[in-house]
Amino acid sequence: KEGGREGSKVMAAESFMILTRLAAVDRLHTLHVPESVLETVVHCVGCALDRQQWANFAWRLSDVLEPLAHLTAAPAHRPILARCGAIPQLLRALSLALVASEEEGRQEHAAHCVLAVANLADSPLSLPLFRAARVLPEDLMWQRHAHGAAQGQEGAAQRRSQSAEEVLFAVKGPEAQAELPSRLWVLRERHLAVAMGQHQRLGSSSLLMLLDCAVLREIVDRSCTAEVAASSLAAWLAAQP
C-alpha cells in the first residue's frame, strides 16, 4: 500500500511537471498546483541530487529543475515550495552546476536554479529559510568523486559549509551565461540605473543618451544572465537585516 501511495504521488507530480513544460511562459504564474504535488516535486529534486530511486522512479536533474523553476513563477507556490525545502535543494543543485561537466548541462542547470531561487526570494516568508540554508561538504560528495577535488581556495570552500550568499557569489564563468527573463525582480535596480542614463536630466552627460532605445533594450536583455542575477541576489541577501 505504501508503495502504491508513493507511486500515485510520483505520477501526479510527473503530470504537473509535464504541464509546466507545455504551458506558455507568460501563463506559468496562473498555474495552481496542490501542496502535496509541490512537496513531491521538491522530493524528486532531492532524489535526483542523491541519485536515488523513489517508488521505482529515477530522475536526472534536467528532468526536475526546469519544472521546479516554472512552478516558482506562481507567487502562491513560493512559500509552499520554500517550506517544503526547495531552497537548500536548489542551492545544492547550483553548487553542482559549478563542478559538473558540459555534458551534464551545467549552463541550463545554473539558469534554472538561479531563476527558481530568485523567485523564491521574492516571498517575504523565505528570508529566514535562506538564512538557515547551508550546502554541506557531504551534500556534494559524489560530485567531487566524479569530477575530482578542486584545488586551492576553491577546494577549501568545498570542504566547509556554504551559505546561500556564498553559493550565489560563486556563480561565475561560462556555465553562468545563460540569459534569464529581464523582468526578474533582482535585476530591477540595474535596469533603473541604465534607464537613468537616458533620462533627459539625470543622463545629460551619459554616453547612453547616444544609443537608440531599441538598441539599449537589446543590451539590457542580453546582459540578464544567470551570473548577473545570482550576484544581484547574493548582494540583496547580504544587505538584509
Side-chain angles (χ1 to χ4, degrees), residues 72 78 90 112-123 130 168 180 184-186 229-230 233 236:
T72 63
R78 294 169 187 169
L90 285 165
H112 295 320
C113 289
V114 172
L115 178 59
V117 168
N119 282 336
L120 293 178
D122 201 22
S123 171
F130 274 98
L168 290 165
L180 296 183
L184 199 61
W185 72 273
V186 293
L233 179 56
W236 179 84

Side-chain angles (χ1 to χ4, degrees), residues 80-171:
I80 300 172
L81 288 167
R83 288 199 307 270
C84 292
I87 293 170
Q89 299 289 37
L90 285 165
L91 293 174
R92 286 182 63 196
L94 189 52
S95 295
L96 168 61
L98 303 180
V99 298
S101 65
E102 293 293 338
E103 290 73 24
E104 290 177 299
R106 62 196 301 188
Q107 191 173 89
E108 292 78 10
H109 290 182
H112 295 320
C113 289
V114 172
L115 178 59
V117 168
N119 282 336
L120 293 178
D122 201 22
S123 171
L125 300 176
S126 298
L127 186 56
L129 299 174
F130 274 98
R131 286 277 182 262
R134 289 289 186 278
V135 176
L136 304 174
E138 54 265 32
D139 290 334
L140 303 174
M141 189 64 70
W142 71 260
Q143 290 94 324
R144 293 209 306 275
H145 280 299
H147 305 291
Q151 301 296 320
Q153 185 175 0
E154 185 179 353
Q158 288 188 349
R159 289 191 292 272
R160 61 175 178 81
S161 65
Q162 291 183 284
S163 66
E165 294 98 306
E166 290 173 318
V167 173
L168 290 165
F169 272 129
V171 180

Side-chain angles (χ1 to χ4, degrees), residues 8-24:
S8 297
K9 288 181 178 180
V10 171
M11 291 305 296
E14 287 283 352
S15 298
F16 276 101
M17 286 194 283
I18 292 172
L19 181 61
T20 67
R21 292 190 175 98
L22 298 176

